[in-house]
């Protein structure tokens, strides 16, 4: 598999590191008590992951290149890459 870094161009997958699924971060709780800090939303965000068969949005970093943080949209069944964008330009 090859990824196209917006800064460096097409590169081998071995130059990149997988950083996890793109997920929307839950709102912060008031934090007055430990029970309020630990909501179901945070539990899901930190511990529960889907294993999608199909399109998936993932964070990757170009560790062996420019160190850019990327959002990669790819098909997990075929590994076909649909888009690669800089994470700073892409909302979660």
């Amino acid at each position: 598999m090859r990824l196209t870094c917006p800064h460096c161009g097409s590169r081998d997958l071995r130059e990149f590191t997988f950083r996890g699924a793109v997920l929307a971060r839950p709102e912060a709780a008031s934090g007055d008590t430990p029970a309020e800090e630990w909501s179901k939303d945070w539990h899901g965000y930190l511990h529960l992951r889907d294993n999608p068969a199909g399109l998936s949005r993932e964070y990757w970093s170009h560790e062996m290149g420019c160190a850019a943080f990327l959002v990669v949209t790819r098909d997990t069944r075929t590994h076909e890459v649909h888009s690669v964008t800089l994470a700073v330009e892409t909302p979660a």
Side-chain angles (χ1 to χ4, degrees):
M1 188 167 97
R2 295 185 71 84
L3 294 178
T4 302
C5 174
H7 296 296
C8 306
S10 179
R11 303 288 183 185
D12 190 87
L13 179 65
R14 291 175 286 186
E15 292 188 11
F16 298 86
T17 301
F18 178 75
R19 296 297 185 171
V22 175
L23 301 172
R25 191 179 176 124
E27 293 291 324
S30 64
D32 292 338
T33 66
E36 291 177 0
E37 292 179 8
W38 191 253
S39 69
K40 285 184 178 181
D41 293 339
W42 275 102
H43 173 70
Y45 177 76
L46 294 173
H47 303 290
L48 303 177
R49 294 290 180 265
D50 292 331
N51 188 16
L55 281 183
S56 177
R57 293 180 68 219
E58 303 163 338
Y59 286 118
W60 289 76
S61 63
H62 194 184
E63 294 289 326
M64 304 295 278
C66 64
F69 217 66
L70 309 171
V71 174
V72 175
T73 303
R74 70 179 180 96
D75 191 320
T76 58
R77 294 170 294 186
T78 63
H79 299 294
E80 179 183 358
V81 177
H82 292 268
S83 69
V84 179
T85 58
L86 294 172
V88 296
E89 298 173 353
T90 308

